[in-house]
Amino acid sequence: MIRIYLFTYAGDADEALVCVRCAAAALPEAVITVVDDESTPIAERARTALVEAGARYCQTSWPRNGNLRGPDCVRGIISTLARGARDHDIIVKIDSDTLLLSGDWVRDMRYTGLVFHASGYQVPSHPSERSAYGPCYAISGWAARLAAEELEQADLPPLAPEDLTICRAVQNHFPTEQIRLDEPWTPFYREGKWTAWNWFSIAVTPQKYADFWMVTFGNPRPTNIPKSERARAMDALFRCRFPQNEDGSSC
């Protein structure tokens, strides 16, 4: 089984709806669950729209510290991902300001032996170490349970980041050949399939992003672009990538 968990809160309700629609188009066989923040939950009307788009809905009470940080948040996320998962289930964690545009890399994990797949980077202070970017990653049920057990007992920093902490816990249990951290797209690495929307380019269009596996919109924007623009840009890319889910037109 493929399970997708989308973590959100009231301020990202519009983005979350596009995220769910896009994930459902990329992985129609997946079970999608929206994990809302009990302290700042999305409105009832938005919840209804998420369920109508094909998602399950639940709330959590652990503190998220603004950007999914801290021991309670890390343990809450990994326990959510691990709960009820079988060894060979594939679990996708995604932020509500991010679009999953391809499901193939997730499906492939069932056959390649990978237990963790994400975009990653080299740790500056430890050149031999790599860690994951947090907007979207996939983890096997087996790896999620082992990481949950380790992190339940670990002494974590007060603002431990969820993505780095979970990635390192998985790295403690599995060899490097079972963990894939892809370089993101840059002008110097154009083969990258993971990227962030370029808010600072006047030439940016959905067409230029339709072939990526994942695009996050949570990166900094110019001061003249309001936050409301995120959901609009996400929706334009979703419609471009999956026109069959809208009116059949192409971008």
Side-chain angles (χ1 to χ4, degrees), residues 154-234:
D155 183 16
L156 301 177
L159 291 179
E162 157 261 337
D163 47 1
L164 276 65
T165 307
I166 291 174
C167 179
R168 288 169 184 165
V170 174
Q171 289 172 324
N172 289 341
H173 290 279
F174 295 92
T176 55
E177 58 266 24
Q178 289 185 276
I179 298 168
R180 180 172 168 181
L181 298 175
D182 297 334
E183 292 288 340
W185 186 96
T186 69
F188 307 102
Y189 183 68
R190 295 180 176 273
E191 292 76 24
K193 290 295 185 179
W194 312 69
T195 195
W197 187 262
N198 187 350
W199 292 107
F200 291 86
S201 171
I202 61 173
V204 63
T205 63
Q207 293 90 331
K208 294 182 179 180
Y209 288 81
D211 291 332
F212 283 98
W213 294 352
M214 180 224 74
V215 178
T216 184
F217 293 74
N219 48 314
R221 306 178 308 280
T223 55
N224 63 315
I225 295 181
K227 180 181 177 296
S228 58
E229 183 67 9
R230 289 202 319 197
R232 190 210 62 79
M234 288 174 66

Side-chain angles (χ1 to χ4, degrees), residues 20-248:
V20 165
R21 288 173 172 165
C22 194
L27 283 169
E29 70 271 34
V31 175
I32 303 174
T33 302
V34 173
V35 186
D36 199 8
D37 188 349
E38 182 182 83
S39 65
T40 54
I42 61 178
E44 182 64 34
R45 192 158 119 192
R47 295 180 209 170
T48 300
L50 288 165
V51 173
E52 289 176 347
R56 300 177 180 182
Y57 176 86
C58 68
Q59 292 183 356
T60 60
S61 58
W62 30 264
R64 302 191 181 189
N65 293 308
N67 191 27
L68 302 183
R69 292 177 177 270
D72 290 338
C73 181
V74 169
R75 294 178 184 126
I77 288 176
I78 193 61
S79 64
T80 298
L81 302 183
R83 188 177 301 120
R86 296 172 296 182
D87 282 358
H88 298 292
D89 284 352
I90 304 300
I91 304 148
V92 177
K93 177 266 178 180
I94 191 166
D95 290 345
S96 51
D97 57 16
T98 300
L99 292 183
L100 176 65
L101 298 175
S102 171
D104 290 342
W105 65 275
V106 179
R107 297 185 186 99
D108 286 349
M109 288 180 64
R110 295 177 294 187
Y111 313 110
T112 60
L114 292 178
V115 299
F116 191 87
H117 191 175
S119 181
Y121 61 96
Q122 190 176 63
V123 180
S125 59
H126 298 86
S128 63
E129 183 180 346
R130 289 176 57 76
S131 199
Y133 289 111
C136 182
Y137 56 80
I139 184 171
S140 73
W142 181 26
R145 290 203 311 277
L146 289 176
E149 291 170 6
E150 175 181 323
L151 293 172
E152 186 62 36
Q153 305 300 324
D155 183 16
L156 301 177
L159 291 179
E162 157 261 337
D163 47 1
L164 276 65
T165 307
I166 291 174
C167 179
R168 288 169 184 165
V170 174
Q171 289 172 324
N172 289 341
H173 290 279
F174 295 92
T176 55
E177 58 266 24
Q178 289 185 276
I179 298 168
R180 180 172 168 181
L181 298 175
D182 297 334
E183 292 288 340
W185 186 96
T186 69
F188 307 102
Y189 183 68
R190 295 180 176 273
E191 292 76 24
K193 290 295 185 179
W194 312 69
T195 195
W197 187 262
N198 187 350
W199 292 107
F200 291 86
S201 171
I202 61 173
V204 63
T205 63
Q207 293 90 331
K208 294 182 179 180
Y209 288 81
D211 291 332
F212 283 98
W213 294 352
M214 180 224 74
V215 178
T216 184
F217 293 74
N219 48 314
R221 306 178 308 280
T223 55
N224 63 315
I225 295 181
K227 180 181 177 296
S228 58
E229 183 67 9
R230 289 202 319 197
R232 190 210 62 79
M234 288 174 66
D235 186 63
L237 179 53
F238 161 60
R239 291 170 183 266
C240 179
R241 176 63 181 85
F242 297 105
Q244 67 274 20
N245 289 76
E246 296 299 327
D247 58 7

